[in-house]
Amino acid sequence: MPQDPGSPARKRSDARKNRDRILDAARSAFADPDADVSLAEISRRAGVGMATLYRNFRGRKELLEAVYASEADSVCEAAADAVGSATPGLALRAWLRRCFAFAATKKHIAPELLAHANRDSARAVFHDSRTRILAAGSPLFEAAQRAHQVRDDLTLEQVLDMLVRIATVNGSDAYQAPMLETVLDGLALPSDKA
Amino acid sequence: MPQDPGSPARKRSDARKNRDRILDAARSAFADPDADVSLAEISRRAGVGMATLYRNFRGRKELLEAVYASEADSVCEAAADAVGSATPGLALRAWLRRCFAFAATKKHIAPELLAHANRDSARAVFHDSRTRILAAGSPLFEAAQRAHQVRDDLTLEQVLDMLVRIATVNGSDAYQAPMLETVLDGLALPSDKA
């Protein structure tokens, strides 16, 4: 039965869609270094009014933090989805690529959040995301270790610390790409080249 | 024939020794995160008076920059010494370890220099050191490439950018060490393990 457009369930669903649209628009705007990333531009890209934007996010800082947290969510979901797919080493390799892309997002968002007067709330978001991503990735990492498909002299935490730093190297994606490959190969993960 | 203690040559030699002593004392003081790194402490460690210290270095900033530049010099000398020793891949591996240790020095010194009012002069020192180190290491890197003992999809510049970032990971030397090994193995350099 189609929902009555005025029903509470329909309103919740619309509100959720608006929030997701704003987050999507913000994510793509912040990922483009040449884009105008004003809130007005983000509401235009999302196809919602400024009032709707402000109903969802008190301001620019809250929006940036929400973009960051939702990206972290999708990294965690990717880890859950990867468990049991392919070999443990290939699953870990694919997931670490996803983590590297996330670290590139952080590179764009973090400086603005840390420059904000209340940097503690940004730090809390970063810390919380890191904890969740480590927890989500641990089963993948441990499976690869049990299968001897990853080197055993470092932890997932060390691997992620390394990737996060490399993602901050100045240069294009093409400049960074072989650095990621070097680390993945150095971890002795099986090659995913065709 | 021993030099007359008052001769110009002897004076130049003493001045040089004092400068080197101060640099050595400063280097070890700055490398110890728990040490008191006041100029007074550095002159005490070097066994010279404050007047001698100030004759050599106008202030703390000039001393820090000189420590950094002299470390870069020794990285360059290590590259020149390594050419032709061992196999090209092993020579490169050993030299990249030296570069990583240098990057750790930078981690301690750079924040203070960049926080200084005149950060342009620090940037010039960093840029100049980077250029010299790249030039000094290129023959080693190219020899390893010709011998197919290093992967061929990235340049020495990319390798060094990666190592410099990894050296800034928070944590002890023991925490960072396997990250360096991961990169060296990922570069497909021959193992130097016994």
Side-chain angles (χ1 to χ4, degrees):
Chain A
M1 196 175 72
Q3 281 171 0
D4 167 5
S7 76
R10 172 66 178 265
K11 279 187 182 156
R12 277 197 302 277
S13 158
D14 285 352
R16 173 86 213 192
K17 271 183 208 147
N18 279 338
R19 190 184 150 88
D20 286 349
R21 269 188 192 156
I22 298 166
L23 283 175
D24 284 347
R27 191 179 300 118
S28 67
F30 291 131
D32 175 359
D34 301 323
D36 165 13
V37 288
S38 68
L39 292 187
E41 167 68 10
I42 289 167
S43 79
R44 199 192 59 73
R45 286 187 182 210
V48 304
M50 286 298 276
T52 302
L53 193 151
Y54 279 116
R55 202 156 46 236
N56 281 279
F57 305 99
R58 254 194 309 163
R60 185 177 174 82
K61 172 174 160 290
E62 287 73 17
L63 175 57
L64 278 163
E65 288 179 359
V67 167
Y68 190 83
S70 82
E71 282 280 277
D73 287 342
S74 75
V75 171
C76 293
E77 283 160 22
D81 292 347
V83 173
S85 76
T87 68
L90 285 173
L92 179 61
R93 191 171 182 120
W95 183 69
L96 290 176
R97 288 187 193 285
R98 183 73 190 73
C99 292
F100 191 72
F102 174 63
T105 301
K106 177 167 183 174
K107 179 185 167 187
H108 291 114
I109 292 181
E112 183 175 337
L113 282 174
L114 291 173
H116 202 276
N118 177 10
R119 55 161 70 193
D120 286 347
S121 93
R123 287 214 175 108
V125 171
F126 296 154
H127 182 77
D128 175 62
S129 298
R130 179 188 160 94
T131 305
R132 287 188 296 130
I133 289 171
L134 275 170
S138 284
L140 278 181
F141 193 76
E142 286 160 14
Q145 281 187 321
R146 279 194 303 274
H148 303 290
Q149 292 183 346
V150 65
R151 63 190 296 151
D152 63 4
D153 60 350
L154 80 184
T155 63
L156 178 58
E157 190 170 18
Q158 284 165 300
V159 174
L160 293 180
D161 280 352
M162 200 171 12
L163 293 183
V164 166
R165 292 305 162 124
I166 293 174
T168 67
V169 167
N170 288 325
S172 64
D173 289 353
Y175 187 78
Q176 287 186 0
M179 302 180 190
L180 172 61
E181 298 309 312
T182 298
V183 170
L184 296 176
D185 290 345
L187 290 170
L189 291 168
S191 171
D192 54 4
K193 298 272 155 55
Chain B
M1 197 174 71
Q3 283 174 357
D4 165 7
S7 78
R10 173 65 180 265
K11 279 187 181 155
R12 275 196 304 276
S13 159
D14 285 350
R16 173 87 212 192
K17 270 182 208 150
N18 280 338
R19 189 185 151 86
D20 287 348
R21 270 189 189 154
I22 298 166
L23 282 176
D24 284 345
R27 191 179 299 119
S28 66
F30 292 130
D32 176 358
D34 300 322
D36 166 13
V37 289
S38 67
L39 292 187
E41 168 67 11
I42 289 168
S43 81
R44 198 193 58 75
R45 286 187 182 209
V48 304
M50 286 298 275
T52 302
L53 193 151
Y54 280 116
R55 200 154 50 235
N56 280 279
F57 305 98
R58 255 195 308 163
R60 184 174 174 83
K61 172 174 160 289
E62 287 72 17
L63 175 57
L64 278 162
E65 288 180 358
V67 166
Y68 189 83
S70 82
E71 281 282 276
D73 287 343
S74 77
V75 171
C76 293
E77 282 161 22
D81 292 348
V83 173
S85 76
T87 68
L90 285 173
L92 178 61
R93 191 170 184 122
W95 184 69
L96 290 176
R97 288 187 194 284
R98 184 73 190 73
C99 290
F100 191 72
F102 173 63
T105 301
K106 177 167 183 174
K107 178 184 167 186
H108 291 114
I109 292 181
E112 183 175 338
L113 282 175
L114 291 174
H116 202 275
N118 178 11
R119 54 161 70 191
D120 285 349
S121 93
R123 287 213 173 110
V125 171
F126 296 155
H127 181 78
D128 175 62
S129 298
R130 179 187 159 93
T131 305
R132 287 189 295 130
I133 289 171
L134 275 170
S138 284
L140 277 183
F141 193 75
E142 285 159 15
Q145 281 186 321
R146 277 193 305 272
H148 303 290
Q149 292 184 348
V150 64
R151 65 189 295 149
D152 62 3
D153 60 350
L154 79 185
T155 62
L156 178 59
E157 190 170 18
Q158 284 164 299
V159 173
L160 293 179
D161 280 351
M162 203 171 10
L163 293 183
V164 165
R165 292 304 161 122
I166 292 173
T168 67
V169 166
N170 289 324
S172 64
D173 289 354
Y175 187 80
Q176 287 186 1
M179 303 182 191
L180 172 61
E181 296 311 309
T182 298
V183 170
L184 296 176
D185 290 344
L187 289 171
L189 292 167
S191 171
D192 54 4
K193 299 271 154 58

